[in-house]
Amino acid sequence: MFSELAVGYLFLGGAGAGGCAVAALLSLLIDRDNLTPALQAQFRSGEGRLFRAFLSPLLVASLGALLLGVACLLADLGQPARLLLLAFSGKITHLTVGAWALVLCAADAALLLLVWRGAARITAALFRAANGLLLALALVVALYTGLLLSSMTAVPLWSGAALPALFLVSALSCGLALAAGLASVTEAARTFATTLHRLQAADMVAIALEAALVAAWLAWVPAADATATAQAASQSVAQLVSGPLAPAFWGGFVAVGMALPFCVEAVATAAWSARPVAPGAITLRRETWRRASLAAASLSVLAGGFLLRYLVVTAALQPISVVAPLL
């Protein structure tokens, strides 16, 4: 079940859900006085055109990630019909709830994308309702993968409440990174400079929380089980912190995936707070540095999100193959 395709699904589903959540939240924060005329003009003029330039690419990337994640899941199952049978089996499990949430999230994102591109017309009330639903569904998708893993009691490394929370926070961080990274290559980096710096500040909070959850998760696992399966848990943690996976964990996930973007975002936020200027007054040199910081931090966060899921799966399954005959 947990092949490279499954790792890809966990990452793409989490990043896509995080991106949808950020897009929905930012859409809900659009002032009503700006939203109504923007919807009437189908986001083709004035403020609406600027909002579309910022949020439409994020929704496209997030929806694409969700669909690629589904493709990875179907390829990993080998027989797509198995997923349909599971979805309509009537049994309520983490997988069925997550599958339905994923489908509905993708459908809602596709509908809103049509609105953003001017292909569909809806009222402001329906626009807000659709984004509220998208936010709720995206959070479910981001959370359920961790719940799915934690429900597998035979794998000690996945036990406990810290892992679902870690996957949720990581997904939101990836969503923030998608928003900032896409904006860095468009005029949105200049138009929504203040918003992007607030997103970077929010990502710093998410990274700090992610680091705390990783520490809590690894500290809890070795002592979580007094039975023979505790041996597998200890081996999993040892692989991450001092074994063959340690370079990828410390050098990849911790250093590149968390420490680097946190430092870049901290410097960018401090510089912006010290010398806030209007978007039109930003110099070419400062604009280039801002775009570079957005892109670098975003790529680092996304790399960390992938490495987290790869390491969680790899460290958990390798010890099981060693100790399973003993259990």
Side-chain angles (χ1 to χ4, degrees):
M1 176 180 178
F2 291 99
S3 64
E4 292 81 1
L5 287 170
V7 174
Y9 162 67
L10 292 176
F11 168 67
L12 291 168
C20 286
V22 173
L25 181 58
L26 291 176
S27 298
L28 289 171
L29 292 176
I30 297 176
D31 185 79
R32 186 178 296 275
D33 293 337
N34 291 325
L35 178 60
T36 300
L39 285 169
Q40 291 174 347
Q42 295 183 294
F43 297 103
R44 290 173 178 168
S45 63
E47 293 289 333
R49 181 180 59 83
L50 298 177
F51 291 139
R52 182 176 70 175
F54 181 28
L55 295 177
S56 178
L58 174 58
L59 207 52
V60 170
S62 301
L63 178 58
L66 287 178
L67 295 178
L68 282 175
V70 172
C72 287
L73 178 61
L74 294 177
D76 188 50
L77 288 174
Q79 298 178 351
R82 293 170 56 189
L83 186 60
L84 292 176
L85 290 174
L86 182 62
F88 292 99
S89 66
K91 297 180 180 180
I92 300 178
T93 66
H94 291 113
L95 190 56
T96 55
V97 171
W100 278 108
L102 185 60
V103 170
L104 294 174
C105 183
D108 196 2
L111 172 63
L112 283 168
L113 187 57
L114 292 177
V115 175
W116 279 111
R117 303 308 300 177
R121 187 187 295 271
I122 61 176
T123 64
L126 285 176
F127 180 80
R128 291 185 179 278
N131 277 288
L133 179 60
L134 180 62
L135 177 59
L137 290 170
L139 292 176
V140 172
V141 173
L143 181 64
Y144 106 90
T145 50
L147 290 173
L148 174 65
L149 294 185
S150 66
S151 68
M152 299 182 183
T153 56
V155 185
L157 189 65
W158 295 342
S159 301
L163 188 60
L166 175 59
F167 272 37
L168 173 61
V169 173
S170 174
L172 293 176
S173 181
C174 287
L176 292 167
L178 271 179
L182 291 170
S184 71
V185 297
T186 68
E187 281 305 306
R190 178 183 291 270
T191 308
F192 295 95
T194 301
T195 300
L196 288 172
H197 278 284
R198 289 173 179 170
L199 291 181
Q200 284 188 307
D203 192 44
M204 289 173 59
V205 175
I207 292 174
L209 184 55
E210 188 176 354
L213 286 169
V214 168
W217 169 57
L218 292 179
W220 179 85
V221 168
D225 193 353
T227 67
T229 56
Q231 179 185 359
S234 298
Q235 289 183 0
S236 295
V237 173
Q239 282 198 70
L240 285 174
V241 299
S242 60
L245 295 176
F249 178 74
W250 293 110
F253 172 61
V254 175
V256 176
M258 291 195 297
L260 177 60
F262 185 90
C263 292
V264 171
E265 290 169 343
V267 172
T269 301
W272 180 263
S273 300
R275 296 176 57 194
V277 294
I282 297 177
T283 64
L284 178 61
R285 182 177 179 181
R286 188 177 184 186
E287 177 71 7
T288 301
W289 184 88
R290 288 181 58 255
R291 289 175 183 267
S293 70
L294 288 170
S298 299
L299 290 174
S300 296
V301 167
L302 292 172
F306 175 80
L307 280 172
L308 170 65
R309 289 153 179 82
Y310 169 78
L311 291 169
V312 165
V313 171
T314 304
L317 297 185
Q318 285 185 359
I320 287 180
S321 66
V322 175
V323 303
L326 303 177
L327 301 181

